[in-house]
Amino acid sequence: MHKVYPKFSDRNLVLKLDLFIPSVGIEARLSDYHTFLMSYQPGYIFNQHNNEPTKFYIVNQIRASIRYFYTVDKFIEKGKRTDKFAGNFFTVFAMIGNSTAVTPSFFIVGPAWRLQRNLGEKFQFSFEAGVGYTSAATATPLPLTAAVDLKLGLAL
């Protein structure tokens, strides 16, 4: 029998097509308060190593995250929208990036906080801030990195 989730969202899957930094992803419901997101997007990396000049890279990356929506009940009580997984949440993410002659492969894992809001019927805005542990061939002596993400796009 198919389980019904009356509290959170209006569906079990949401396709995301982001316009700000072009990307595509699928967010799937795991429970009343949890979702899983898998996405592909190009990324931007600024890297400064030793006394070399700062370098800017554009890389391909795949990202997976488990999300815990801690504001679901408050949003519903206040009459705010929770469709298409709108809300505030904590997440644990893992990201793997490409390896080319110019950019090294990398892996980042860490916690973050995110807000996700619907704009009209088809658009969604989200902002994320966190910290990630980086494993890469060019890792600096302190392998921590700021993890910031801003998205504006379609949520279908």
Side-chain angles (χ1 to χ4, degrees), residues 1-6 9-13 29:
M1 177 179 220
H2 180 68
K3 186 173 180 184
V4 177
Y5 297 91
S9 193
D10 57 342
R11 56 188 70 187
N12 291 322
L13 284 173
R29 175 197 312 280

Side-chain angles (χ1 to χ4, degrees), residues 49-68:
H49 189 65
N50 296 329
N51 292 326
E52 298 175 12
T54 300
K55 296 178 183 175
F56 173 76
Y57 301 112
I58 298 175
V59 297
N60 294 307
Q61 58 192 20
I62 295 174
R63 179 185 174 118
S65 59
I66 300 282
R67 300 164 160 203
Y68 168 66

Side-chain angles (χ1 to χ4, degrees), residues 5-7 19 25 31 36 40 45 64 73 81 83 89 95-96 99 120 137 139 143 149-150 152-153:
Y5 297 91
K7 286 184 168 184
L19 308 171
S31 75
F36 174 77
Y40 163 80
I45 295 176
D73 293 330
R81 293 176 64 182
D83 57 313
F89 54 88
M95 205 170 8
I96 188 165
S99 176
D149 193 22
L150 179 65
L152 175 63

Side-chain angles (χ1 to χ4, degrees), residues 7 25 44 98 131 136 147 156:
K7 286 184 168 184
Y44 305 96
N98 73 320
V131 63
L156 307 170

Side-chain angles (χ1 to χ4, degrees), residues 43-152:
Y44 305 96
I45 295 176
F46 294 93
N47 186 6
Q48 200 284 323
H49 189 65
N50 296 329
N51 292 326
E52 298 175 12
T54 300
K55 296 178 183 175
F56 173 76
Y57 301 112
I58 298 175
V59 297
N60 294 307
Q61 58 192 20
I62 295 174
R63 179 185 174 118
S65 59
I66 300 282
R67 300 164 160 203
Y68 168 66
F69 289 79
Y70 64 91
T71 58
V72 173
D73 293 330
K74 287 181 184 178
F75 271 45
I76 291 170
E77 286 173 16
K78 293 180 178 182
K80 293 184 177 182
R81 293 176 64 182
T82 60
D83 57 313
K84 300 179 188 170
F85 309 123
N88 297 0
F89 54 88
F90 295 109
T91 183
V92 175
F93 67 92
M95 205 170 8
I96 188 165
N98 73 320
S99 176
T100 66
V102 178
T103 59
S105 294
F106 65 90
F107 177 76
I108 302 172
V109 63
W113 172 86
R114 188 176 198 108
L115 69 84
Q116 192 162 267
R117 300 291 186 272
N118 294 314
L119 303 172
E121 294 301 315
K122 299 205 184 290
F123 288 91
Q124 197 168 69
F125 165 82
S126 65
F127 170 77
E128 179 176 294
V131 63
Y133 175 80
T134 304
S135 175
T138 61
T140 62
L142 182 62
L144 294 178
T145 186
V148 178
D149 193 22
L150 179 65
K151 293 193 180 296
L152 175 63

